[in-house]
Amino acid sequence: MSLADYLAKNYLTADSKAEKKSKKRKRKDGSQPGLVITDDDALGWAPKLKDGDDEDTPLNVTSTSAEFRKTKKNNWQTIGAPAPSSADQAAADAIIASAAAETSARNDADEDAPVVDDTGAKMESGAHAGLQSADQVTAQLKRKQEAERKRFLSDTAEQSGQGKETIYRDASGRIINIAMKRAEARKKAEEEAAATAAQIEAQKGDVQRAERTKRKEALKEAKFMPVARFADDVDMNEELKERDRWNDPAAQFLTKKKGGKSVTGKPLYSGAFMPNRYGIRPGHRWDGVDRGNGFEKEYFAARNRRRDLKQLEHDWQMDE
């Protein structure tokens, strides 16, 4: 049955009214009212052309069936699967259709893939040795990748080594104990830091180290000292008495002499010596010979000269 016959049978209805003759123009007896399809073409809608009609003129397909126009019953029939009744059904159908499409595409890809002969020598990449096409080499590489991926996914944590500690080796292949190496590196860093601190400490003098120790002891004792210190404080008075002042006029009347020991506890020279900028007394082994270049003597002479000139200028201004 052609498409035109199917449409005419299921969707078109013949006009049952009597034919009305036109007063102005007479019709031929062979004409039929309604839609007439005489050409069984691919679409089923092209009517047969008359002798005087042109093939390029537009075709008009009309229906003058009164019953077809006035009918209230839906004569259209659904062909194929019915539409889904809900959104969930539509989503499920879409998922099923996509899965079927993927399966069909996979089957088509497997069918289109070139035939690979597994017999023969294989290279490390997975391809066979010898002359072959690019498609065959690509298929062999893809097959090896898929096999490796399946094996990787199927391996357990014990087989894949997941969660295990990394093993390090040296150039000779021996296993390196990371914990021991870290301990050795930490010990070496501590030794280097101690050596650097000792070198910095060695650059300081004995007096500086003794003063630093004395300050630390004073800070410890300050925790138990009262907030207010008065003139009768014994510790404060002893500290003030022990201070040596070069311009003290009553120093010669003191009957109690300080012991001839330095801050570090070593004995000092008890005789006369050339003064210096730092007030350092010579040791008890000094033979009394000044082996300096005379800078200290010139320094004190220049300082005294500047002080004398300043005093003379002040006196002259006061005389005027």
Side-chain angles (χ1 to χ4, degrees):
M1 180 183 293
S2 63
L3 180 60
D5 298 337
Y6 178 80
L7 294 173
K9 179 180 179 181
N10 294 281
Y11 300 102
L12 301 180
T13 306
D15 193 359
S16 59
K17 291 185 178 181
E19 181 182 356
K20 295 182 179 179
K21 294 184 179 181
S22 176
K23 298 180 179 179
K24 296 182 180 181
R25 185 177 179 180
K26 295 182 179 181
R27 297 183 179 180
K28 296 182 180 181
D29 297 337
S31 62
Q32 297 179 1
L35 177 64
V36 178
I37 300 175
T38 58
D39 189 8
D40 189 11
D41 57 348
L43 298 177
W45 294 96
K48 185 176 181 180
L49 298 177
K50 298 180 180 180
D51 297 338
D53 295 339
D54 190 3
E55 295 181 356
D56 296 333
T57 57
L59 301 178
N60 296 327
V61 180
T62 57
S63 177
T64 57
S65 176
E67 294 182 2
F68 181 77
R69 290 195 307 269
K70 294 180 180 180
T71 181
K72 296 181 179 181
K73 184 180 179 181
N74 186 8
N75 294 326
W76 296 95
Q77 296 182 0
T78 303
I79 300 176
S85 58
S86 62
D88 297 338
Q89 184 65 26
D93 294 343
I95 294 172
I96 294 173
S98 62
E102 291 179 359
T103 304
S104 178
R106 192 183 303 108
N107 296 333
D108 295 341
D110 296 339
E111 292 176 358
D112 297 339
V115 179
V116 179
D117 187 9
D118 291 337
T119 60
K122 286 187 178 181
M123 295 184 292
E124 185 178 359
S125 61
H128 287 79
L131 183 62
Q132 50 190 333
S133 63
D135 296 337
Q136 293 177 346
V137 175
T138 304
Q140 293 170 6
L141 297 177
K142 185 177 180 181
R143 181 178 298 180
K144 183 181 178 182
Q145 292 176 359
E146 291 293 335
E148 291 179 352
R149 183 173 179 275
K150 291 180 180 179
R151 186 175 68 252
F152 176 76
L153 295 176
S154 61
D155 289 343
T156 59
E158 184 69 21
Q159 295 175 349
S160 62
Q162 185 178 2
K164 292 186 177 180
E165 187 178 358
T166 305
I167 299 176
Y168 298 91
R169 300 180 183 271
D170 56 5
S172 61
R174 292 177 298 182
I175 298 177
I176 301 175
N177 192 345
I178 301 300
M180 186 181 297
K181 289 293 182 180
R182 290 176 180 173
E184 292 178 357
R186 192 182 303 108
K187 184 178 180 181
K188 185 177 179 180
E190 292 177 356
E191 292 178 354
E192 291 179 355
T196 304
Q199 185 179 1
I200 295 174
E201 188 69 20
Q203 295 176 359
K204 301 178 181 180
D206 296 338
V207 179
Q208 285 80 7
R209 287 195 293 268
E211 290 180 353
R212 185 179 62 183
T213 305
K214 188 177 180 180
R215 286 195 300 270
K216 289 183 179 179
E217 292 178 356
L219 289 175
K220 290 180 180 179
E221 293 178 359
K223 297 179 180 179
F224 308 100
M225 293 175 58
V227 179
R229 302 184 69 180
F230 301 96
D232 57 349
D233 193 338
V234 179
D235 296 336
M236 184 177 64
N237 293 329
E238 290 294 334
E239 183 181 356
L240 294 176
K241 288 179 181 179
E242 290 179 358
R243 291 183 183 178
D244 189 7
R245 300 172 181 83
W246 66 273
N247 57 351
D248 188 3
Q252 57 182 343
F253 303 109
L254 294 176
T255 57
K256 184 180 179 180
K257 299 293 182 179
K258 294 177 64 177
K261 289 186 179 181
S262 64
V263 179
T264 58
K266 296 180 181 180
L268 297 174
Y269 183 74
S270 59
F273 61 93
M274 183 66 66
N276 54 68
R277 291 170 292 169
Y278 306 103
I280 300 175
R281 295 169 57 89
H284 68 286
R285 300 180 185 276
W286 185 50
D287 55 358
V289 179
D290 186 6
R291 296 177 175 82
N293 56 4
F295 178 78
E296 299 290 338
K297 182 178 180 181
E298 295 294 336
Y299 171 77
F300 283 106
R303 190 177 67 172
N304 294 335
R305 190 184 309 109
R306 186 169 58 253
R307 184 182 60 185
D308 294 342
L309 290 175
K310 186 177 180 181
Q311 185 66 29
L312 288 173
E313 290 177 358
H314 178 70
D315 295 341
W316 289 342
Q317 291 177 1
M318 295 299 294
D319 291 343
E320 296 177 355

